Amino acid sequence: MSLLHLFFIFFYIGLFAIGGGLVAATFMQQTLVEQYQLISADKFCSMLAISESTPGPIGINLATYIGMELFGPAGAVITTLGEILPSLIVIMLIARFFSRFQDKPLVKAAFSGLRPATTGMVLIAMVQVFTLSLLDVASFSTGRGLASLFCWPQIALFEACLVILFKSKLHPVVIIALGAVFGVLFL
């Protein structure tokens, strides 16, 4: 795969990832892991976790990380540009012409249709992250039994983080950092 091809992949993702970074992550997973097999599912999950725990937009962080992993600094720049350029173009066009057509029934209907579609895409991304993080489908498919389906240390960490989040006044960033430390040290 060339840098130009990678740019167009991320341009496509940036163009159609309406709804934010988790929707973009779903497209990246489908394109780079399933379609082109450039990254393994486990590697992608780790990259997504790191991208979620670093400051900034998840989609752009993930695009930069993937580009860096595949092609070094040039790849990081190309994937980042590919990811953000469609949004910049669309926002400039909308800003220029939106006042002319914002009250049209068709435009209102389109925006009403985007809301549930975006919610569905975010839900899909959430289910994929949950599945990759807390379930071991490969072990379960080998016939080891139902208990092998679950990644028990990760589930225990997930439950502990939920309890800490809802029972204390600890900032979520601290919980994310603790989860990263736990993952590096114990998983």
Side-chain angles (χ1 to χ4, degrees):
M1 173 166 302
S2 69
L3 278 173
L4 184 62
H5 190 211
L6 197 63
F7 172 80
F8 283 118
I9 287 173
F10 279 88
F11 189 88
Y12 163 80
I13 291 168
L15 186 61
F16 291 105
I18 298 168
L22 288 177
V23 175
T26 301
F27 283 150
M28 288 178 210
Q29 191 267 338
Q30 290 171 346
T31 305
L32 301 171
V33 175
E34 294 173 11
Q35 183 178 353
Y36 291 107
Q37 299 169 348
L38 293 174
I39 302 169
S40 71
D42 287 340
K43 178 77 171 177
F44 183 82
C45 185
S46 297
M47 294 171 105
L48 180 60
I50 291 169
S51 298
E52 287 178 328
S53 62
T54 54
I58 295 168
I60 295 170
N61 289 349
L62 185 56
T64 305
Y65 190 5
I66 290 170
M68 185 70 177
E69 187 74 20
L70 294 176
F71 285 100
V77 170
I78 290 296
T79 55
T80 303
L81 284 175
E83 178 74 18
I84 65 171
L85 197 57
S87 296
L88 291 175
I89 292 168
V90 168
I91 287 170
M92 287 190 300
L93 288 172
I94 288 174
R96 174 99 168 106
F97 300 109
F98 190 66
S99 63
R100 294 181 189 170
F101 59 82
Q102 68 183 0
D103 294 326
K104 305 267 187 218
L106 188 60
V107 172
K108 287 182 177 183
F111 279 111
S112 293
L114 283 174
R115 286 184 193 106
T118 301
T119 303
M121 291 296 291
V122 170
L123 182 63
I124 288 169
M126 182 189 75
V127 168
Q128 288 176 338
V129 169
F130 175 83
T131 302
L132 287 171
S133 299
L134 302 178
L135 301 178
D136 188 0
V137 179
S139 291
F140 179 70
S141 64
T142 60
R144 294 186 189 172
L146 185 61
S148 69
L149 176 62
F150 302 101
C151 299
W152 296 109
Q154 287 93 323
I155 290 173
L157 175 64
F158 176 73
E159 290 175 356
C161 288
L162 281 178
V163 169
I164 292 169
L165 184 64
F166 290 115
K167 296 290 184 182
S168 73
K169 294 184 180 189
L170 204 58
H171 197 279
V173 171
V174 175
I175 296 170
I176 291 170
L178 290 173
V181 168
F182 181 85
V184 168
L185 295 177
F186 300 109
L187 300 178

